[in-house]
Amino acid sequence: MQFSIQQNKLVDAVNDVMKAVSSRTTIPILTGIKISATHDGVTLTGSDSDISIESFIPAEEEGNQHVDIQKTGSIVLQAKFFSEIVKKLPKETVDIEVQDNFSTKIVSGSAEFNLIGLDPEEYPQLPQISDHHAFQMPIDLLKQMTRQTVFAVSTSETRPVLTGVNWRIEDRELICVATDSHRLAMRKAPIESGEISNITSVVIPGKSLNELNKILEDTNDLIDIVITDNQILFKTKYLLFFSRLLEGNYPDTSRLIPTDYKTEVIITAKDFLQAIDRASLLAKEGRNNVVKLTTFDNNSVQISTTLPEVGKVEEDVNCESLIGEELKISFSAKYMMDALKALDSTDIKISFTGAMRPFLIRPLDNDSILQLILPVRTY
Amino acid sequence: MQFSIQQNKLVDAVNDVMKAVSSRTTIPILTGIKISATHDGVTLTGSDSDISIESFIPAEEEGNQHVDIQKTGSIVLQAKFFSEIVKKLPKETVDIEVQDNFSTKIVSGSAEFNLIGLDPEEYPQLPQISDHHAFQMPIDLLKQMTRQTVFAVSTSETRPVLTGVNWRIEDRELICVATDSHRLAMRKAPIESGEISNITSVVIPGKSLNELNKILEDTNDLIDIVITDNQILFKTKYLLFFSRLLEGNYPDTSRLIPTDYKTEVIITAKDFLQAIDRASLLAKEGRNNVVKLTTFDNNSVQISTTLPEVGKVEEDVNCESLIGEELKISFSAKYMMDALKALDSTDIKISFTGAMRPFLIRPLDNDSILQLILPVRTY
């Protein structure tokens, strides 16, 4: 294998595939990045066996030559060193050549590195997924749906299936749900193009979705999504992102969501978020970061918390509307702030059905997203 | 005590004094910030007993009212909470009022905090230092001299005096020296104004100088410096910064500095630094981050390193001048990069007196600064 490549293209592709490389893998060859050169261009691959990422740099694109292939072939180089080296090379062009015994020469300007490579034949094959049943979504919509749900997955391995986001497809609508059993985030959107396979409910590891969001740029270009029994593939022009799926049945969360309410508050999200954030300055030092909300007759709610031996905070926030029963309720400030940030909405509606029951937070005029939080017993 | 104050002025002063507050202090009241209001303005104090910082907010300055004092007095509030609270207050004005039992109300907009304060009488007195013997320096020069030396102090407590920077005053010249016994940094500058006390050699803790550099803004305003037996005071218009001095005799470092050389290299600092940085990508994973320098007849030096089982790197860097004996020498890449960054110079001169002897790095035309590094035995 021998080629010359533009440094910035190489750096971008290395940064993408590095998202899948873990230094803690038990499979030694997966600490490496696989580099393959064909006459069409160069493909980099990184994998931790849960996530695998393939990034392609075309030899030529729109009349610009990115790679000059002198000899096709492939090699695996230690990711930790290769990724740092390519970033710090002095010139715009990098020459990479595999010599005897997988020894690989990397030359840029007067700097010459020789890295001991590994046999590319030992690198695992990526899953073979046919894209017959691909559906498409705009990349920015996919990223937004992930951002609005993935924060709510469980961080505990007690119930592994809750560490993922449940994707269900019903009537050409994608419904994303995440819950750690103390709160729940749901977002849905119609699928506008493509063919949906007969697998209509999967659980995607939260970590995979977080890494995918870091790699994808905010554009409204379409991304192909293919779901199989145990894998999901996200595919753009030059990128393949594979994730394994979580096994096990995702709980039915629909019955958790209350349909009636006893108290309903409409409030400016920003004012409410800032008041919670200030109360959290004391609450986060105490047990579970819990704040109290009390409704008042004068169309306002009070956010308060007391931290023994330190002090207390009280703040009244005006509501746009406050109807129904009087209420005192306690909840996690962190969960509320996460939910408010995910909603991306100016005005929000909070629907309570009593101090001991889960409550709903929604945008004022948008049914495609909801956040649910379980209160904390303090009264 | 009761006053209204501009939030941004309060935040700036809190940020300054927080540099001295440690959460790990054994003296409980020092986890607090002392706040004192007089008719002239508000003074904040933070201290970890090694460093004490006092920041003053004048009631009025150039016709702008920063503070409206309703009642003079003082209080100590827990630094961790008070500092976070003032940053997140909703309005530009903050009302602070001490009530019964040191309970302190902090109000801004609709947010009301009540913090349990501590008795200000228990807060230690700051050192009383007369400024009779103050000398002056431009603040930016002081910051530069610190930056160019303090990185070389020892991080080990084996010889505590080496964790500080030695300041000597000779013939109205300030000489700053730091060494961890593997390298040494020296910078000197004339003292242009003020009166120097009869104490002409002190050792200032590196940590104190680092914190001072964070607080001081880059200006050529003068700063007053007063040295006593066991304290140094830095004084600007609204800031007092006290540091205790380290006890013990600082070693005589002048005899370490070679006066002749056998090989001398003049080289562009940036090219040399980048080559060392690249070699360090492999070297830092090995023993002590050691790189090798080899002189070549063709007016160049080669930087190289080998990391067993990973690979090697070699890079030739052209010299502007290379005279004297052939040389192979090994040294810490980190020490060399620290030294090159401290020099702030386009072209540098490196003077070697053999592979086992300390060598000097200096700017081409400037005797006020030098860096010395001890080589590592590898050949």
Side-chain angles (χ1 to χ4, degrees):
Chain A
M1 186 187 83
Q2 186 179 359
F3 59 84
S4 303
I5 189 165
Q6 286 184 11
Q7 191 221 5
N8 58 346
K9 293 282 165 192
L10 183 60
V11 168
D12 289 348
V14 166
N15 283 343
D16 282 350
V17 303
M18 278 300 283
K19 300 282 189 302
V21 178
S22 162
S23 56
R24 288 174 302 162
T25 176
T26 50
I27 308 168
I29 199 149
L30 293 185
T31 61
I33 290 177
K34 184 178 174 188
I35 306 166
S36 300
T38 65
H39 290 294
D40 296 332
V42 171
T43 303
L44 302 189
T45 310
S47 175
D48 67 358
S49 73
D50 284 346
I51 301 173
S52 301
I53 302 172
E54 209 175 272
S55 180
F56 180 70
I57 305 154
E60 208 184 301
E61 185 185 32
E62 294 168 5
N64 298 314
Q65 191 177 19
H66 299 319
V67 193
D68 176 18
I69 310 281
Q70 285 111 44
K71 204 169 153 192
T72 62
S74 55
I75 189 71
V76 175
L77 296 178
Q78 288 192 42
K80 177 178 167 185
F81 295 101
F82 183 63
S83 65
E84 292 197 20
I85 288 168
V86 297
K87 279 178 217 163
K88 292 209 168 169
L89 290 174
K91 294 289 176 189
E92 286 167 19
T93 306
V94 183
D95 301 317
I96 298 181
E97 182 186 354
V98 177
Q99 299 172 319
D100 295 341
N101 295 318
F102 307 120
S103 169
T104 304
K105 193 163 84 173
I106 304 165
V107 177
S108 177
S110 57
E112 178 178 327
F113 285 84
N114 274 275
L115 293 184
I116 299 168
L118 297 163
D119 183 356
E121 295 300 318
E122 287 179 17
Y123 199 88
Q125 288 286 323
L126 293 197
Q128 297 300 310
I129 296 183
S130 110
D131 51 7
H132 278 316
H133 297 289
F135 63 91
Q136 288 84 38
M137 286 181 69
I139 290 175
D140 47 11
L141 176 62
L142 172 67
K143 288 187 71 169
Q144 189 190 43
M145 294 181 80
T146 292
R147 195 177 59 74
Q148 292 177 326
T149 50
V150 73
F151 67 89
V153 301
S154 172
T155 54
S156 144
E157 287 292 333
T158 321
R159 286 181 68 188
V161 81
L162 294 188
T163 64
V165 178
N166 179 218
W167 277 26
R168 271 183 302 127
I169 298 170
E170 287 175 7
D171 302 331
R172 293 196 68 84
E173 189 173 55
L174 173 64
I175 305 162
C176 307
V177 175
T179 180
D180 60 6
S181 72
H182 302 289
R183 55 168 164 183
L184 177 147
M186 189 280 291
R187 170 68 203 266
K188 54 191 180 184
I191 296 169
E192 281 167 11
S193 70
E195 198 185 329
I196 293 150
S197 72
N198 52 1
I199 298 161
T200 57
S201 177
V202 292
V203 186
I204 309 168
K207 181 174 179 298
S208 301
L209 290 168
N210 278 323
E211 297 301 334
L212 179 64
N213 257 24
K214 286 183 204 160
I215 293 180
L216 294 177
E217 287 178 27
D218 277 303
T219 84
N220 57 6
D221 290 353
L222 294 179
I223 189 166
D224 280 344
I225 302 171
V226 188
I227 295 173
T228 71
D229 278 345
N230 55 10
Q231 291 278 337
I232 185 164
L233 165 63
F234 299 89
K235 186 177 169 188
T236 66
K237 195 168 177 195
Y238 295 131
L239 190 82
L240 298 181
F241 185 105
F242 299 86
S243 169
R244 86 179 159 91
L245 297 172
L246 290 174
E247 290 174 17
N249 290 321
Y250 201 81
D252 177 14
T253 55
S254 56
R255 64 189 167 72
L256 284 175
I257 298 167
T259 47
D260 57 343
Y261 64 87
K262 293 183 179 163
T263 313
E264 193 165 77
V265 174
I266 295 174
I267 199 162
T268 306
K270 192 182 154 208
D271 296 347
F272 191 57
L273 174 62
Q274 289 180 350
I276 303 275
D277 192 17
R278 277 187 284 272
S280 173
L281 291 177
L282 298 188
K284 71 185 177 187
E285 297 296 320
R287 194 176 55 89
N288 293 333
N289 197 359
V290 173
V291 297
K292 290 182 190 176
L293 178 148
T294 311
T295 59
F296 282 141
D297 281 346
N298 65 353
N299 220 35
S300 73
V301 294
Q302 184 183 70
I303 302 299
S304 63
T305 200
T306 299
L307 181 61
E309 291 172 32
V310 173
K312 63 178 179 172
V313 50
E314 288 174 357
E315 180 162 356
D316 293 354
V317 187
N318 288 325
C319 303
E320 292 181 29
S321 144
L322 168 53
I323 53 173
E325 297 179 5
E326 277 187 16
L327 180 73
K328 289 184 181 190
I329 190 167
S330 298
F331 49 81
S332 156
K334 179 180 185 303
Y335 288 179
M336 181 57 89
M337 289 193 284
D338 286 348
L340 292 170
K341 286 173 192 165
L343 287 182
D344 262 349
S345 196
T346 315
D347 292 314
I348 52 150
K349 183 168 63 179
I350 314 179
S351 309
F352 300 96
T353 39
M356 300 303 169
R357 300 287 306 279
F359 56 93
L360 282 182
I361 312 146
R362 283 171 293 188
L364 209 51
D365 304 305
N366 180 352
D367 279 342
S368 73
I369 179 166
L370 70 80
Q371 305 284 335
L372 176 142
I373 295 176
L374 270 71
V376 175
R377 224 173 265 257
T378 56
Y379 285 102
Chain B
M1 186 188 82
Q2 186 178 1
F3 59 85
S4 302
I5 189 164
Q6 286 185 10
Q7 189 219 7
N8 59 345
K9 293 281 165 192
L10 183 59
V11 168
D12 289 347
V14 166
N15 284 342
D16 282 351
V17 304
M18 279 299 283
K19 300 283 189 303
V21 178
S22 162
S23 55
R24 288 173 302 162
T25 175
T26 51
I27 307 167
I29 197 148
L30 292 186
T31 60
I33 290 177
K34 184 177 175 189
I35 306 166
S36 300
T38 66
H39 291 294
D40 297 331
V42 171
T43 302
L44 302 189
T45 310
S47 176
D48 66 358
S49 74
D50 285 345
I51 302 174
S52 300
I53 302 173
E54 210 176 272
S55 180
F56 179 70
I57 304 154
E60 208 183 300
E61 186 185 30
E62 294 168 7
N64 298 315
Q65 192 177 19
H66 299 319
V67 194
D68 177 18
I69 311 282
Q70 286 112 44
K71 203 171 156 192
T72 62
S74 56
I75 189 71
V76 175
L77 296 178
Q78 288 191 43
K80 177 179 168 184
F81 295 101
F82 183 65
S83 64
E84 291 197 21
I85 289 168
V86 296
K87 277 177 218 165
K88 292 209 168 168
L89 290 174
K91 294 288 175 190
E92 286 166 20
T93 306
V94 184
D95 300 319
I96 298 181
E97 183 186 354
V98 177
Q99 299 173 320
D100 295 342
N101 295 319
F102 308 119
S103 169
T104 303
K105 193 163 84 172
I106 303 165
V107 177
S108 178
S110 57
E112 178 178 324
F113 285 85
N114 274 275
L115 292 185
I116 298 167
L118 298 164
D119 183 355
E121 295 299 318
E122 288 179 18
Y123 199 87
Q125 289 286 322
L126 293 199
Q128 298 300 311
I129 295 182
S130 109
D131 52 7
H132 279 315
H133 296 288
F135 64 91
Q136 289 83 38
M137 285 181 69
I139 291 175
D140 46 12
L141 176 61
L142 172 67
K143 288 187 71 169
Q144 189 189 43
M145 293 181 80
T146 292
R147 195 177 58 74
Q148 292 177 326
T149 49
V150 73
F151 66 89
V153 302
S154 172
T155 53
S156 144
E157 287 292 332
T158 321
R159 287 181 68 188
V161 81
L162 294 188
T163 64
V165 178
N166 180 217
W167 278 25
R168 273 183 299 128
I169 298 170
E170 286 175 8
D171 303 329
R172 294 194 69 82
E173 189 174 55
L174 173 64
I175 305 162
C176 306
V177 175
T179 180
D180 60 7
S181 73
H182 302 290
R183 55 165 164 186
L184 178 147
M186 189 280 291
R187 170 66 203 266
K188 54 191 180 183
I191 295 169
E192 280 166 13
S193 70
E195 196 186 329
I196 293 150
S197 72
N198 52 1
I199 297 160
T200 56
S201 177
V202 293
V203 186
I204 309 168
K207 180 173 179 299
S208 301
L209 290 168
N210 277 323
E211 297 301 334
L212 179 64
N213 257 26
K214 286 182 205 160
I215 293 180
L216 294 177
E217 287 178 28
D218 278 304
T219 84
N220 56 7
D221 290 353
L222 293 179
I223 188 166
D224 280 344
I225 302 172
V226 188
I227 295 173
T228 72
D229 278 345
N230 55 11
Q231 291 278 336
I232 186 164
L233 166 62
F234 299 89
K235 187 178 170 187
T236 66
K237 196 169 177 194
Y238 295 130
L239 192 80
L240 298 181
F241 185 105
F242 299 86
S243 170
R244 86 179 159 90
L245 297 172
L246 291 174
E247 290 175 16
N249 290 320
Y250 201 81
D252 176 15
T253 53
S254 57
R255 65 190 165 73
L256 284 175
I257 298 168
T259 48
D260 58 345
Y261 63 88
K262 292 184 180 163
T263 313
E264 194 164 76
V265 174
I266 296 175
I267 199 163
T268 306
K270 191 180 154 208
D271 295 347
F272 191 58
L273 175 61
Q274 290 182 348
I276 303 276
D277 192 17
R278 278 187 282 271
S280 173
L281 292 176
L282 299 189
K284 71 185 178 188
E285 295 297 318
R287 194 175 56 89
N288 294 331
N289 197 358
V290 173
V291 297
K292 290 182 191 176
L293 177 149
T294 310
T295 59
F296 282 143
D297 282 344
N298 65 354
N299 221 35
S300 74
V301 293
Q302 184 182 71
I303 303 298
S304 63
T305 200
T306 299
L307 181 61
E309 292 173 31
V310 172
K312 63 178 181 174
V313 50
E314 288 174 357
E315 180 163 355
D316 293 353
V317 187
N318 288 324
C319 303
E320 292 180 29
S321 145
L322 167 51
I323 53 172
E325 297 178 6
E326 278 187 14
L327 180 74
K328 289 183 178 189
I329 191 169
S330 296
F331 50 82
S332 156
K334 179 179 185 304
Y335 288 177
M336 180 57 89
M337 289 193 283
D338 286 348
L340 292 170
K341 286 173 191 164
L343 287 183
D344 263 349
S345 196
T346 315
D347 292 313
I348 53 150
K349 183 167 64 180
I350 314 179
S351 309
F352 298 96
T353 39
M356 300 303 167
R357 301 288 306 281
F359 58 92
L360 283 182
I361 313 146
R362 282 171 292 188
L364 208 50
D365 304 306
N366 180 351
D367 279 342
S368 73
I369 179 166
L370 70 81
Q371 305 283 335
L372 177 141
I373 295 175
L374 270 69
V376 175
R377 224 172 266 258
T378 56
Y379 286 102

